[in-house]
Amino acid sequence: MKELDTICALSTALGESAINIIRISGNDAIDIVNSVLLDIDLKKVNANTINYGKIVDDNKNIIDEVLVSIFKAPKSYTKEDVVEINTHGGIYVTTQVLELLLSHGARLAEAGEFTKRAFLNGRIDLSQAEAVMDMISASTKRQLSLANKALKGDIKTLIESFRTKIQEIILHITVNIDYPEYIDELQITNDLCIKETSSLIDEIDNIIKKAESLRVYKEGIKTVILGKPNVGKSSLLNALLNENKAIVTSYSGTTRDIVEGQLNIGGIILHLIDTAGIRSTNNPIEKIGIEKSIEKLDEAELVLLVLDNSSSLTKDDKKLLDLTKDKNRIIVGNKSDLKESNFEFDNLVNVSSITKEGIPKLEEKIKEMFVKEDISKSNDVVISSSRHIAILKNVKKSIEEAHEGALKGDYLDMVEITLKEAYNSLGEIIGKGSPDELLDELFNKFCLGK
């Protein structure tokens, strides 16, 4: 791999604080920091130490008294020489130090570039790199737990083991193709393909099933609150969030645009979306809101369809019941404080958004629908990324094609092609054979300095 230049970035949020940390990584990291440092020579200090010094400008004017941590390759986050400067946390002083480092040969790091270098230099695989970002963005205990498990490298071990099993089948096929005169080997190879691909399909099915259960912990559930005007959608949103997020009035059609909020239910994040009331209307502004509501419905993983307990079903209610019949849906009978519900539906929960009666039952119903078992507490290898799940589903499809081909007696080189597709696709999870565009897209999601 070609030699990388030296990068630097602020690793803490820029603002007034006790300290800010500037990170520098690359072959010239120590020389660059030395060129702006008084009272100490970093070339003479031990690795993994914290050292006191003064940062000075080109005229030897003191900018700041700092503590400098030094980590020498390969025992650092990036496997390169890394220096971290702890400055006082003022905006001006931090900016001055950063600009000084840039003028002495460092380059401002791109988003996620430190972690990208850790991956490119072989310290971590791509699934571990993604886990770093998951740790940073974790907002629940379970999200943090999943990130920590991925960071240990368990996903890489699982994927490598699965790839090895595919590779062994490919090797048998290769022997058969190279030595076609051995008729017995042809039969053995075909029987092996049928048996082993069947076993792999069962195994990957189990992995995908667990992964989809865990995905809701990591990424949350896109939840749309739907209903005709004035059934209490906004009141329900406010009751769930325990705050006055949405405007509530007695007038129909108050909500004209999308209102969003987040709710933590037992470690699962609900991405709540309160939509405009859906009904027939000639109002052009209200029509736009209704169109947005339908768009959000298409994206929804859960629909909370709100009906009014205090009145009978209307034509608009029935349209919405039909519109959402194939979605994951909970029917919320609202305004139970006004009248006892006489609705009879599956997945019906009666609530009062005003008194909050029934809200805990609604939350339990959501957990019941999406959490079959708490796999996050088990010692199993866990995959919870949508990207990984999508790859696994493609891998499963390729293995199924190989299995069907072996059953039909297809030429083994055709079976081999689909198995190689599965093998290469699995490598994308841990970064083997990943195209540059994919890496850029993933690491651009990181914050600067990480």
Side-chain angles (χ1 to χ4, degrees):
M1 188 181 73
K2 71 176 183 178
E3 184 176 303
L4 298 171
D5 55 359
T6 299
I7 56 174
C8 70
L10 183 62
S11 290
T12 48
L14 182 62
E16 293 186 1
S17 59
I19 60 168
N20 274 324
I21 299 174
I22 297 171
R23 176 181 288 172
I24 309 97
S25 178
N27 289 338
D28 298 326
I30 293 173
D31 287 338
I32 289 173
V33 177
N34 254 347
S35 69
V36 299
L37 197 61
L38 276 185
D39 298 338
I40 192 167
D41 183 353
L42 294 181
K43 292 183 178 180
K44 296 180 180 179
V45 304
N46 294 326
N48 306 318
T49 57
I50 300 176
N51 308 275
Y52 168 79
K54 297 183 181 72
I55 297 290
V56 294
D57 64 18
D58 294 338
N59 296 318
K60 303 304 178 184
N61 296 313
I62 295 174
I63 295 176
D64 195 15
E65 294 182 349
V66 297
L67 294 177
V68 182
S69 304
I70 182 168
F71 310 92
K72 295 184 179 179
K75 296 183 177 181
S76 73
Y77 181 68
T78 61
K79 293 191 77 173
E80 302 170 339
D81 287 343
V82 172
V83 180
E84 292 184 351
I85 303 173
N86 290 254
T87 72
H88 287 92
I91 296 174
Y92 181 75
V93 67
T94 302
T95 303
Q96 288 296 298
V97 174
L98 189 57
E99 289 179 355
L100 193 61
L101 293 169
L102 294 174
S103 70
H104 279 245
R107 171 176 64 79
L108 188 64
E110 299 172 357
E113 192 168 1
F114 291 93
T115 303
K116 186 176 183 179
R117 289 192 176 201
F119 164 69
L120 292 173
N121 293 329
R123 184 181 180 275
I124 56 177
D125 68 84
L126 193 56
S127 67
Q128 289 173 298
E130 291 173 281
V132 172
M133 192 60 207
D134 290 340
M135 289 190 70
I136 294 170
S137 60
S139 56
T140 70
K141 183 177 180 180
R142 284 189 173 91
Q143 287 177 347
L144 182 60
S145 173
L146 290 173
N148 274 315
K149 288 185 178 184
L151 197 57
K152 285 167 54 182
D154 291 353
I155 291 176
K156 180 181 180 180
T157 302
L158 172 69
I159 297 303
E160 290 285 28
S161 173
F162 205 93
R163 292 180 95 214
T164 299
K165 293 173 184 177
I166 296 174
Q167 189 178 52
E168 287 172 355
I169 306 174
I170 293 172
L171 289 174
H172 273 280
I173 294 174
T174 302
V175 170
N176 178 268
I177 293 172
D178 290 344
Y179 302 97
E181 63 272 21
Y182 294 104
I183 305 299
D184 290 344
E185 180 64 29
L186 172 63
Q187 185 58 46
I188 290 170
T189 302
N190 197 60
D191 290 345
L192 179 81
C193 281
I194 295 169
K195 178 183 176 183
E196 293 300 322
T197 53
S198 177
S199 175
L200 288 176
I201 291 168
D202 290 340
E203 186 175 345
I204 201 167
D205 254 338
N206 187 46
I207 294 170
I208 292 171
K209 188 181 297 183
K210 288 184 177 181
E212 289 183 327
S213 295
L214 284 171
R215 188 194 60 77
V216 300
Y217 283 121
K218 179 185 174 183
E219 299 178 4
I221 306 168
K222 293 179 183 177
T223 306
V224 169
I225 303 175
L226 205 66
K228 67 183 182 184
N230 213 28
V231 292
K233 298 184 301 300
S234 297
S235 296
L236 178 63
L237 176 72
N238 291 342
L240 286 167
L241 297 176
N242 202 29
E243 62 174 292
N244 293 323
K245 182 83 173 182
I247 298 172
V248 177
T249 75
S250 59
Y251 297 100
S252 297
T254 299
T255 302
R256 296 288 180 93
D257 206 348
I258 303 300
V259 181
E260 302 185 26
Q262 286 194 344
L263 173 66
N264 183 344
I265 298 180
I268 302 172
I269 298 296
L270 253 62
H271 303 289
L272 289 165
I273 302 170
D274 176 27
T275 60
I278 296 178
R279 64 175 174 180
S280 299
T281 179
N282 293 319
N283 185 310
I285 297 176
E286 192 173 355
K287 277 186 175 180
I288 294 172
I290 291 170
E291 287 172 4
K292 287 185 178 181
S293 299
I294 300 299
E295 287 175 9
K296 291 297 181 181
L297 176 61
D298 291 338
E299 302 170 7
E301 296 168 299
L302 172 64
V303 176
L304 301 181
L305 178 56
V306 185
L307 302 178
D308 186 347
N309 275 332
S310 66
S311 63
S312 301
L313 290 179
T314 65
K315 185 186 297 184
D316 289 330
D317 290 325
K318 291 175 181 177
K319 282 183 180 179
L320 289 172
L321 284 164
D322 185 63
L323 188 64
T324 59
K325 63 183 179 182
D326 296 323
K327 305 286 290 187
N328 282 326
R329 178 180 75 180
I330 297 175
I331 295 175
V332 181
N334 193 27
K335 304 184 183 181
S336 60
D337 54 313
L338 300 179
K339 184 180 178 182
E340 187 175 340
S341 172
N342 57 5
F343 296 142
E344 293 184 5
F345 297 106
D346 293 333
N347 286 345
L348 171 67
V349 178
N350 292 313
V351 305
S352 168
S353 298
I354 303 302
T355 67
K356 297 186 180 179
E357 179 186 356
I359 295 296
K361 288 182 180 179
L362 176 58
E363 293 177 351
E364 284 301 317
K365 188 67 177 177
I366 294 169
K367 285 195 287 184
E368 179 187 313
M369 286 180 66
F370 285 89
V371 184
K372 306 304 179 186
E373 54 179 315
D374 194 351
I375 305 171
S376 66
K377 292 183 178 179
S378 74
N379 293 320
D380 293 344
V381 179
V382 292
I383 291 177
S384 57
S385 160
S386 288
R387 185 181 80 86
H388 298 171
I389 293 170
I391 291 172
L392 288 171
K393 287 181 177 179
N394 286 333
V395 169
K396 179 188 172 186
K397 184 178 178 181
S398 294
I399 297 173
E400 286 174 337
E401 288 177 8
H403 181 73
E404 290 298 321
L407 283 173
K408 291 188 296 184
D410 287 349
Y411 289 114
L412 285 174
D413 53 352
M414 299 302 294
V415 175
E416 182 186 31
I417 289 172
T418 54
L419 287 174
K420 283 182 176 178
E421 288 175 357
Y423 180 85
N424 292 331
S425 293
L426 279 172
E428 294 177 14
I429 292 178
I430 54 178
K432 292 197 173 182
S434 296
D436 291 340
E437 293 84 356
L438 171 63
L439 298 181
D440 289 342
E441 181 182 344
L442 288 172
F443 287 106
N444 281 337
K445 296 176 182 178
F446 281 58
C447 51
L448 287 171
K450 193 58 184 172

